Amino acid sequence: MSAKQILVVEDERPIREMIAFGLRRAGFEVREAADARSGRAEVANKLPDLLLVDWMLPDTSGLEFTRALKRDRETRELPIIMLTARAEEGDKVAGLEGGADDYITKPFSPRELLARINAVLRRAMPAEGTERVDIEGLVLDQSSQRVSSGDRTVALGPTEYRMLAFFMTHPERVYSREQLLDRVWGGNVYVEERTIGVHIRRLRKALEEFGYDRLIQTVRGSGYRFSARPL
Amino acid sequence: MSAKQILVVEDERPIREMIAFGLRRAGFEVREAADARSGRAEVANKLPDLLLVDWMLPDTSGLEFTRALKRDRETRELPIIMLTARAEEGDKVAGLEGGADDYITKPFSPRELLARINAVLRRAMPAEGTERVDIEGLVLDQSSQRVSSGDRTVALGPTEYRMLAFFMTHPERVYSREQLLDRVWGGNVYVEERTIGVHIRRLRKALEEFGYDRLIQTVRGSGYRFSARPL
DNA sequence: ATTCCAGGTGACGGTTTTGTGGCGTGCGCA
DNA sequence: TGCGCACGCCACAAAACCGTCACCTGGAAT
């Protein structure tokens, strides 16, 4: 597994360099940008694996920056961690709403940062060799973000796709609703656990016409399981 | 799987109780301590599965408390989550260096706390080699919460599954109804001992079509035994 | 043989968990 | 600005499961 590339967008140079230093020492490849403009340029230049974005940037707010990236299809899946100072704490919510995958308040320890980075990467990154998964003829292709059967594509919303992708890369195992929230939605979101049932149903319905809805099994009292074996 | 036990060490009573309440509602068993001293006593008394420690305690800093535990061989593996107020944020570094497995800043949402707890517990709980058990072709797979024979799955309700899982991981040994209540239902539940017989029957019936019902043996006057050997 | 009792059985009502359809909202897009 | 898609959530329906009870059974003790 090659080194993950992280782009740090932060205007205060000492901070930026300290972060970069720590990350490099941890084995990441690091690129730096001092403002949103050059940040965008860097992203366009070569897609990093993860973005660290300061909340306050000289030219735009990190929020705007994030929003823009999350809107673009090309960069939508790019994981973003927002850096906020304590004073800006009230905006956390907004930061997440804006689409950041996680945030971290300054000051933070290198260890904390690493923990979050790894968490987010783990979430975002298809585990080794799961770029393409075929289960009983149901085919997940992560690079094109599509799931298909034969030559037909299963119609899925973004959330359904993420959930199905997660399931297909983690079959034969029961996941609680809480775990699903954590792994499919991401750590810092508040969503009713009940809602998961709704998405399960939508996913089942989408798979139904292909005859694959049976793969999503309910484990009463525990959660759900994706399995090729009959219940 | 019986309920995990969590010890909350926090001097501010309302906060402590709120946390305890939330955790209990989430199915944890909770013990409380108001200062480091009684905290230590509680730990010594009976090792909990996880520790929630406030950063500021009347007698010692949470840091010292944690350090001490991490130094002791007996408690080194005990997972610790530190609670810090925002104002103490700068000390995070020290907190983590001190050996806490995670920290969380007040105020926090119950869900966030639960997520961290589960994450830490999951990390701390490496399988005991009972992940997969095969007895005479009857296969228990705990990660998928399923018992199967050949390619067919035994249809079990939650309680039946728990009971069978317990039996398969503790074979060749007689358990009284009371013991079963304790280990399968988990301690503080009021259920008629008579009821166990009913579940035994249900379990036998479920195993019947696979020819495995013979594995559950009645020991008159004592209880039940799961054994591959006939008798 | 008769009695007695632990344990087995089948049925039932209540409770909890999950499935389902629908509604309102927010955001991207035209 | 208006439209349509996703999404989150609610309220209700359906299903699964659980704990008990009343009654049956088989064998051990007398």
Side-chain angles (χ1 to χ4, degrees):
Chain A
M1 173 157 51
S2 69
K4 293 295 157 200
Q5 204 175 65
I6 298 179
L7 174 60
V8 182
V9 186
E10 154 76 75
D11 56 313
E12 289 175 79
R13 194 163 151 199
I15 297 185
R16 188 179 69 233
E17 293 186 339
M18 201 202 67
I19 293 176
F21 175 77
L23 293 182
R24 289 205 178 91
R25 217 178 39 153
F28 291 101
E29 208 171 292
V30 183
R31 283 150 61 204
E32 310 179 29
D35 54 47
R37 242 193 11 152
S38 52
R40 262 187 282 272
E42 282 295 321
V43 169
N45 174 29
K46 181 171 187 311
L47 220 58
D49 295 295
L50 184 145
L51 224 50
L52 274 179
V53 183
D54 187 38
W55 174 257
M56 285 296 292
L57 290 172
D59 45 352
T60 332
S61 83
L63 176 61
E64 255 322 304
F65 184 75
T66 299
R67 276 232 174 95
L69 286 173
K70 286 295 176 185
R71 224 174 282 133
D72 190 330
R73 187 129 193 292
E74 195 67 27
T75 54
R76 170 159 309 165
E77 293 300 316
L78 181 53
I80 299 179
I81 296 179
M82 194 84 90
L83 308 174
T84 74
R86 204 175 303 146
E88 300 147 5
E89 191 113 11
D91 299 320
K92 268 184 186 175
V93 185
L96 283 173
E97 305 270 308
D101 298 86
D102 203 351
Y103 62 87
I104 185 169
T105 55
K106 295 188 277 193
F108 47 80
S109 71
R111 197 157 148 192
E112 183 183 356
L113 181 59
L114 282 180
R116 305 266 177 137
I117 286 176
N118 285 325
V120 170
L121 277 182
R122 177 176 54 98
R123 217 147 47 211
M125 240 231 327
E128 205 68 44
T130 63
E131 200 47 47
R132 189 191 161 81
V133 179
D134 181 331
I135 293 181
E136 303 243 310
L138 186 66
V139 180
L140 162 72
D141 182 344
Q142 304 235 48
S143 66
S144 68
Q145 293 199 25
R146 279 145 43 97
V147 177
S148 53
S149 169
D151 55 359
R152 292 204 306 148
T153 296
V154 182
L156 299 169
T159 305
E160 284 142 50
Y161 168 79
R162 281 203 310 277
M163 191 157 86
L164 182 52
F166 173 72
F167 271 134
M168 292 187 71
T169 51
H170 301 82
E172 300 298 340
R173 190 178 168 108
V174 176
Y175 290 94
S176 69
R177 292 171 179 75
E178 199 189 340
Q179 286 176 326
L180 288 174
L181 267 186
D182 189 48
R183 311 224 30 183
V184 176
W185 272 253
N188 296 293
V189 202
Y190 182 71
V191 175
E192 291 287 329
E193 291 197 356
R194 215 60 192 38
T195 300
I196 288 188
V198 178
H199 280 277
I200 288 283
R201 169 173 146 280
R202 288 175 181 154
L203 186 47
R204 278 178 172 148
K205 196 150 74 177
L207 290 172
E208 197 172 45
E209 65 171 305
F210 298 86
Y212 285 111
D213 54 311
R214 69 197 159 83
L215 296 186
I216 300 177
Q217 302 167 354
T218 302
V219 181
R220 194 162 227 268
S222 296
Y224 297 93
R225 168 181 54 206
F226 189 88
S227 168
R229 306 175 52 195
L231 188 105
Chain B
M1 178 155 51
S2 68
K4 293 292 164 198
Q5 202 175 66
I6 297 179
L7 173 60
V8 181
V9 186
E10 153 76 73
D11 55 312
E12 289 175 81
R13 194 164 150 197
I15 297 184
R16 187 179 68 234
E17 293 185 338
M18 203 201 66
I19 293 176
F21 176 77
L23 293 182
R24 290 205 177 92
R25 219 178 35 157
F28 291 101
E29 211 171 290
V30 184
R31 284 151 59 203
E32 312 180 27
D35 53 49
R37 238 184 23 141
S38 53
R40 261 188 283 273
E42 281 296 321
V43 170
N45 174 29
K46 180 167 188 314
L47 219 58
D49 296 294
L50 183 145
L51 224 49
L52 273 179
V53 184
D54 187 38
W55 174 254
M56 285 295 293
L57 290 172
D59 45 353
T60 334
S61 83
L63 175 60
E64 255 322 303
F65 183 75
T66 299
R67 277 229 173 98
L69 286 174
K70 286 297 176 183
R71 228 176 278 134
D72 190 330
R73 186 134 183 287
E74 194 69 25
T75 54
R76 171 159 309 163
E77 296 298 317
L78 182 53
I80 299 179
I81 295 180
M82 193 84 90
L83 307 175
T84 74
R86 262 201 223 318
E88 300 149 4
E89 191 121 9
D91 299 318
K92 270 182 186 173
V93 185
L96 282 171
E97 305 276 305
D101 298 84
D102 202 351
Y103 65 86
I104 185 168
T105 55
K106 295 186 276 195
F108 46 80
S109 72
R111 212 171 80 73
E112 188 179 357
L113 182 60
L114 283 181
R116 305 265 177 133
I117 286 176
N118 286 325
V120 170
L121 277 182
R122 212 179 310 144
R123 221 182 302 146
M125 225 203 350
E128 308 148 21
T130 133
E131 198 46 36
R132 193 186 172 79
V133 179
D134 182 332
I135 294 180
E136 303 245 307
L138 186 65
V139 179
L140 161 72
D141 181 342
Q142 305 237 47
S143 73
S144 68
Q145 287 194 31
R146 154 143 79 180
V147 177
S148 53
S149 168
D151 56 358
R152 290 205 308 148
T153 297
V154 183
L156 300 169
T159 305
E160 284 142 51
Y161 170 80
R162 281 202 309 275
M163 191 157 85
L164 181 52
F166 173 73
F167 272 134
M168 291 187 72
T169 51
H170 301 80
E172 304 297 343
R173 190 180 154 149
V174 178
Y175 290 95
S176 70
R177 288 154 231 283
E178 197 188 344
Q179 285 177 311
L180 287 175
L181 265 188
D182 197 49
R183 313 234 19 194
V184 176
W185 272 253
N188 309 320
V189 201
Y190 178 68
V191 175
E192 292 286 331
E193 291 199 354
R194 225 57 208 349
T195 301
I196 293 202
V198 178
H199 279 278
I200 289 283
R201 171 177 141 278
R202 288 174 180 155
L203 185 48
R204 277 178 173 147
K205 195 152 77 179
L207 290 172
E208 198 171 40
E209 66 171 305
F210 298 85
Y212 285 110
D213 53 312
R214 67 195 162 84
L215 297 186
I216 299 178
Q217 304 167 352
T218 303
V219 181
R220 196 163 233 266
S222 299
Y224 300 92
R225 169 180 50 206
F226 189 87
S227 168
R229 277 187 303 229
L231 184 69

